[in-house]
Amino acid sequence: MLLLWVLVVAASALAVLAAGAGEQRRGAAKAPNVALVVSDSFDGRLTFHPGSQVVKLPFINFMKARGTSFLNAYTNSPICCPSRAAMWSGLFTHLTESWNNFKGLDPNYPTWMDVMERHGYRTQKFGKLDYTSGHHSISNRVEAWTRDVAFLLRQEGRPMVNLIHNRTKVRVMERDWQNTHKAVNWLRKEAINYTEPFVLYLGLNLPHPYPSPSSGENFGSSTFHTSLYWLEKVSHDAIKIPKWSPLSEMHPVDYYSSYTKNCTGRFTKKEMKNIRAFYYAMCAETDAMLGEIILALHQLDLLQKTIVIYSSDHGELAMEHRQFYKMSMYEASAHVPLLMMGPGIKAGLQVSNVVSLVDIYPTMLNIAGIPLPQNLSGYSLLPLSSETFKNEHKVKNLHPPWILSEFHGCNVNASTYMLRTNHWKYIAYSDGASILPQLFDLSSDPDELTNVAVKFPEITYSLDQKLRSIINYPKVSASVHQYNKEQFIKWKQSIGQNYSNVIANLRWHQDWQKEPKKYENAIDQWLKTHMNPRAV
């Protein structure tokens, strides 16, 4: 059924491409250029007060003053590949079935860039894409498939910091700088000569933590790495040390995540402050790369003809809720930056409506004046940011007062669903019955420290019913559970007799090798429970 939905939407998009393509190409010359910069792991709360006080982000501030800021923008899945699949397709995660970092969007699905190119836009992309599949190791895959197994194994390295003491060292993330300069050179040497409008995409890996070298490929990325040059952009006095609940009082899914991320041990306040400071410094380096694009457009007299959009695939917990990384529905992980500026976009506007990354697809087509495919999950953001576009293109459907985010990957032992409305955040797990939900009132509890689901049963029930009207989440959870078992069995069969040796040397080796039989038996028991006999 889910694949059928994707095929219907794809067919609709292709029909738009075919219908009146010549007419759209002739009209495209009147449309603005678009430059979309998407970073990784950027906490959206840093783009507005009070988070904006902790680090200097001059180009984000420039975009805020010259354009529109979306104060409540969210990822549709807090991990790289599924989030990007949603952004490039305009479809929720359960519709693309992008369950983890190696199962993303069907490569044949027409992205918004495909549609814009067919309608006369000149297109170019540089840097991180990761919407069909992302970086992943054997450990990543096995950890995602076995998240429902009844064991607890550390999967990540302990979060740490690494400083380059050189005060003149600007290019810490060399690969991102290289891709940024490729994008700038394309603007200078090619885009400037186009008579048709162009759309440029730049994907950055920063401020994602760096791979930790001590245990090789399988270890993950737990090192926050920067130089003194960027660290001096951080206001250390403004860094907030997050409050933690005692381990015994944590929600069971949060405890699982904290343990698998190697964060249940003792951290000093200095360690926590350093991790957060280094992360903010990495955000400052990211801002500078965004600035390279803005400055190049300005120098080429293209800025007034180009809509610039900045966002991120997800945020970074940076030790909030006793975690780093993402894979969580808490604000630090799920809240993303979203800023737009350019012709027709209101300057200095702050939009409080909840929006999400699936809205990028219809927004891009709306900018180009291209009819929208039917059944997209997202809505154009132009009615919220520009009266000009609203009137010219007669956008009928305004954004609903909610957004959906979901997660099905590693470091979390149950499929997770988040419904964000005005000031409420409702989080449901698995089948909606076996694991207690969470409810947070963000207006009075912005740090999400008090779960009030039991205190407000009527609101909890109402939001759960609303969530179920959007997605049959118990059914989706069951589908992911089945998929995980089938994929694990295929992998196990491909390993053959080496199965035990291979699995004993994954990232969780420090726990696994102490009691390998215990954990192998747990996997065997998991495979026998609620499994389709044909798959076994």
Side-chain angles (χ1 to χ4, degrees):
M1 191 65 186
L2 298 178
L3 285 175
L4 178 60
W5 181 285
V6 173
L7 291 172
V8 168
V9 178
S12 176
L14 291 171
V16 169
L17 299 182
E23 179 182 347
Q24 289 295 336
R25 286 192 181 92
R26 288 192 295 273
K30 302 176 183 178
N33 307 311
V34 187
L36 173 62
V37 179
V38 177
S39 66
D40 203 311
S41 306
F42 201 106
D43 184 346
R45 300 171 302 172
L46 294 176
T47 62
F48 54 85
H49 188 80
S52 57
Q53 305 303 303
V54 76
V55 59
K56 295 177 181 177
L57 303 170
F59 292 101
I60 282 176
N61 289 337
F62 179 80
M63 288 193 68
K64 287 165 58 180
R66 291 281 297 268
T68 296
S69 308
F70 292 88
L71 302 180
N72 290 298
Y74 289 86
T75 180
N76 299 107
S77 186
I79 193 170
C80 299
C81 182
S83 172
R84 293 164 185 270
M87 182 185 69
W88 284 86
S89 69
L91 298 175
F92 289 138
T93 298
H94 63 280
L95 299 179
T96 63
E97 297 186 345
S98 177
W99 302 135
N100 46 50
N101 257 4
F102 46 93
K103 189 180 189 302
L105 184 64
D106 185 329
N108 296 317
Y109 185 86
T111 68
W112 49 261
M113 184 173 277
D114 296 327
V115 178
M116 293 176 78
E117 186 173 16
R118 295 285 186 93
H119 283 78
Y121 267 75
R122 305 296 289 266
T123 65
Q124 184 57 272
K125 48 184 179 281
F126 297 97
K128 186 170 184 175
L129 293 171
D130 285 12
Y131 59 83
T132 57
S133 183
H135 175 78
H136 52 83
S137 62
I138 293 175
S139 276
N140 287 136
R141 298 199 296 273
V142 176
E143 289 156 13
W145 295 330
T146 59
R147 64 194 179 100
D148 298 317
V149 181
F151 55 47
L152 198 59
L153 295 163
R154 282 166 288 186
Q155 300 171 6
E156 305 282 349
R158 182 182 171 94
M160 62 189 77
V161 296
N162 185 27
L163 177 65
I164 298 172
H165 291 277
N166 186 347
R167 280 185 164 80
T168 63
K169 178 68 173 177
V170 176
R171 295 176 56 132
V172 178
M173 184 54 177
E174 288 282 354
R175 186 176 297 178
D176 277 345
W177 282 107
Q178 291 168 6
N179 287 322
T180 300
H181 290 153
K182 286 179 183 177
V184 168
N185 288 336
W186 180 81
L187 288 170
R188 294 187 184 280
K189 295 179 180 179
E190 297 190 40
I192 189 64
N193 298 315
Y194 292 151
T195 56
E196 307 92 343
F198 64 80
V199 56
L200 168 67
Y201 169 86
L202 173 62
L204 304 174
N205 195 64
L206 273 177
H208 193 295
Y210 279 63
S212 302
S214 59
S215 295
E217 167 70 12
N218 280 333
F219 199 55
S221 300
S222 61
T223 301
F224 293 82
H225 181 52
T226 192
S227 71
L228 274 178
Y229 179 88
W230 299 113
L231 199 58
E232 288 172 351
K233 311 293 183 186
V234 178
S235 175
H236 286 257
D237 291 340
I239 296 174
K240 182 179 178 181
I241 302 298
K243 294 180 180 179
W244 287 353
S245 300
L247 290 171
S248 60
E249 297 177 14
M250 291 178 71
H251 188 278
V253 174
D254 288 340
Y255 180 83
Y256 177 90
S257 296
S258 183
Y259 190 92
T260 59
K261 293 176 181 178
N262 218 340
C263 290
T264 53
R266 182 177 178 272
F267 287 83
T268 65
K269 287 187 176 180
K270 182 179 179 181
E271 279 182 284
M272 292 172 63
K273 195 164 188 176
N274 279 342
I275 289 171
R276 292 174 71 75
F278 278 51
Y279 168 66
Y280 297 140
M282 294 164 74
C283 291
E285 186 176 0
T286 306
D287 178 82
M289 296 177 192
L290 169 65
E292 291 289 305
I293 301 300
I294 293 173
L295 289 172
L297 290 168
H298 171 69
Q299 292 163 0
L300 297 169
D301 291 327
L302 290 172
L303 194 58
Q304 70 275 16
K305 305 172 187 176
T306 305
I307 291 180
V308 181
I309 305 173
Y310 170 64
S311 192
S312 180
D313 56 356
H314 49 72
E316 163 62 54
L317 286 156
M319 303 312 292
E320 293 188 28
H321 300 278
R322 200 184 279 267
Q323 297 181 47
F324 75 108
Y325 243 8
K326 54 272 186 178
M327 302 111 164
S328 167
M329 295 304 172
Y330 287 122
E331 288 290 284
S333 168
H335 200 141
V336 298
L338 184 53
L339 303 107
M340 298 173 60
M341 71 176 187
I345 304 300
K346 290 182 180 178
L349 178 65
Q350 293 188 327
V351 176
S352 59
N353 303 56
V354 288
V355 299
S356 65
L357 293 180
V358 288
D359 299 326
I360 295 290
Y361 192 114
T363 301
M364 296 296 255
L365 269 57
N366 199 185
I367 289 171
I370 300 171
L372 302 184
Q374 298 297 312
N375 301 321
L376 288 177
S377 301
Y379 294 77
S380 173
L381 299 173
L382 295 186
L384 298 173
S385 60
S386 169
E387 284 297 327
T388 303
F389 279 97
K390 182 178 179 181
N391 293 334
E392 282 185 2
H393 302 294
K394 298 178 182 178
V395 178
K396 296 179 181 179
N397 297 324
L398 295 177
H399 202 291
W402 54 264
I403 64 94
L404 170 70
S405 188
E406 52 189 296
F407 182 74
H408 308 283
C410 59
N411 294 107
V412 177
N413 60 342
S415 286
T416 307
Y417 307 87
M418 185 259 280
L419 183 69
R420 172 76 161 88
T421 61
N422 45 17
H423 59 92
W424 293 109
K425 177 186 286 188
Y426 177 66
I427 307 172
Y429 297 93
S430 187
D431 57 4
S434 57
I435 301 174
L436 293 175
Q438 291 172 293
L439 178 67
F440 298 101
D441 181 351
L442 296 183
S443 63
S444 61
D445 181 24
D447 295 329
E448 301 166 289
L449 298 174
T450 306
N451 177 12
V452 294
V454 175
K455 183 178 179 180
F456 298 108
E458 297 87 357
I459 294 173
T460 300
Y461 176 79
S462 175
L463 291 174
D464 188 73
Q465 290 302 300
K466 179 62 179 177
L467 178 61
R468 290 172 187 264
S469 74
I470 298 166
I471 174 176
N472 184 344
Y473 70 85
K475 184 176 180 181
V476 172
S477 298
S479 296
V480 176
H481 192 82
Q482 184 74 14
Y483 160 82
N484 286 339
K485 288 187 176 182
E486 292 172 355
Q487 294 301 309
F488 180 83
I489 287 171
K490 289 179 182 178
W491 174 77
K492 181 181 177 183
Q493 290 173 342
S494 71
I495 297 300
Q497 293 181 347
N498 292 324
Y499 159 72
S500 294
N501 292 331
V502 172
I503 204 167
N505 287 284
L506 300 182
R507 288 192 296 191
W508 54 33
H509 62 88
Q510 56 186 318
D511 294 323
W512 182 280
Q513 291 178 5
K514 295 176 183 177
E515 299 179 277
K517 283 297 179 184
K518 171 186 174 182
Y519 297 120
E520 289 175 22
N521 290 338
I523 287 178
D524 291 341
Q525 185 61 38
W526 165 66
L527 292 176
K528 293 175 183 176
T529 307
H530 306 302
M531 187 63 195
N532 185 335
R534 289 180 297 174
V536 176

